[in-house]
Amino acid sequence: MSEGTDCGGGDALSNGVKKHRTSLPSPMFSRNDFSIWSILRKCIGMELSKITMPVIFNEPLSFLQRLAEYMEHTYLIHKASSCSDPMERMQSVAAFAVSAVASQWDRTGKPFNPLLGETYELVRDDLGFRLISEQVSHHPPISAFHAEGLNNDFIFHGSIYPKLKFWGKSVEAEPKGTITLELLEHNEAYTWTNPTCCVHNIIVGKLWIEQYGTMEITNHKTGDKCVLNFKPCGLFGKELHKVEGYIQDKSKKKLCALYGKWTECLYSVDLTTFDAYKKNDKKNTEEKKNSKQMSSSEESDEMPVPDSESVFVIPGSVLQWRIAPRPPNSAQMYNFTNFAMVLNEVDKEMESVIPKTDCRLRPDIRAMENGEIDQASEEKKRLEEKQRTARKSRSKSEEDWKTRWFHQGPNPYNGAQDWLYSGSYWDRSYFNLPDIY
């Protein structure tokens, strides 16, 4: 790595704002010498949460830290808060919801499964939020999170159960659970669920990721909805990464269209223009199809190369969100964004404040980040064994596990089963915490 690259705690101050690290202490290992097939061939059609994977297929973050990446584009929440028009607010909320899954692009390393009772906090004064998350259940694995604006302008919370299935050539992750955003100044709440994520070419070839399914964002105050369709890539990859949909009012009257790619950007445009463009696009596609002699080949799992890399901007569109470029060293650093690079950094001052359950203190992740792969593997085995032993001793004494910072209850807006923040984490009074590491 070049001289002067900061990969420690990143505690220097620049203009009074904390300067964060821009690199990990060690680049990633090559996975080329390892066969994932030898592990996964026994698991076709099974749920993967119970399978122990070798550490080489991980990235040095816990799933709790991966969830914190939802917050990378918090400025879109602030933008939504500042809009007086409810449709403009919905456009910014939709942009935030799409941006929240953008960091998954090319991230083929698996985050570490959180241990029961593991926590993670993230305070970003520069972005105007603080977040706390906790692993609240082990079987099924459920992670709960709660973020709040430092100016009391929003609350963003949810609980995610990533249901993983292996289908021979691909692994599919369906993120069950409701996500809620409350804009406090407008007394509004929005809820949605994330699309399904699929990693292709698990056995051989280049791994690639797509997301598909419908994301329906509901404004519970006005009854407005935004229905976004994350498209599967389709034949020839024409639809790869595409997202499009509409904002509609409570009587289902469409108000405007949204389109883009979840890996890149999201635009809004008026309905007439969008529908005219779609009609014309459909006509062109059909003409192309007829001129090509379609060969019926077996469906491939190779990543398709789309006609053009970026989105065609329909005249009159308004840009709602564009992804920030990844750092130049991203490919050697598990394809991390600048935001992800910072998630596991720790300094002496932070260590004296955070609870001992925070995943920055988790030895297997720290060893992997430092490039000590054998130690990471040993520590991962030790921690999993320690967790099993603790579970057995609880079942012998018929003792129930008690979550610390969240409690189970219905989501206040859509009634779905959820985990809600119980409060008091930021009082910094951490006693009787479980010894999980």
Side-chain angles (χ1 to χ4, degrees), residues 17 114 195 215 282 306 377 408 418:
V17 175
M215 177 190 271
K282 198 175 174 189
S377 188
Q408 212 166 0
D418 208 346

Side-chain angles (χ1 to χ4, degrees), residues 277-343:
Y277 166 75
K278 289 293 285 179
K279 216 174 191 174
N280 194 32
D281 189 46
K282 198 175 174 189
K283 201 173 105 194
N284 291 345
T285 308
E286 274 164 10
E287 280 169 13
K288 249 191 215 172
K289 262 189 197 167
N290 296 337
S291 67
K292 271 185 193 172
Q293 277 302 305
M294 302 271 279
S295 64
S296 63
S297 61
E298 186 201 339
E299 191 187 328
S300 165
D301 226 40
E302 288 306 306
M303 177 166 171
V305 180
D307 293 344
S308 70
E309 265 309 294
S310 58
V311 171
F312 174 77
V313 182
I314 302 165
S317 300
V318 176
L319 180 68
Q320 295 296 331
W321 160 75
R322 180 175 293 288
I323 198 164
R326 300 235 167 143
N329 57 350
S330 179
Q332 292 82 53
M333 304 280 162
Y334 306 89
N335 290 320
F336 279 9
T337 59
N338 282 315
F339 187 86
M341 215 77 88
V342 169
L343 293 171

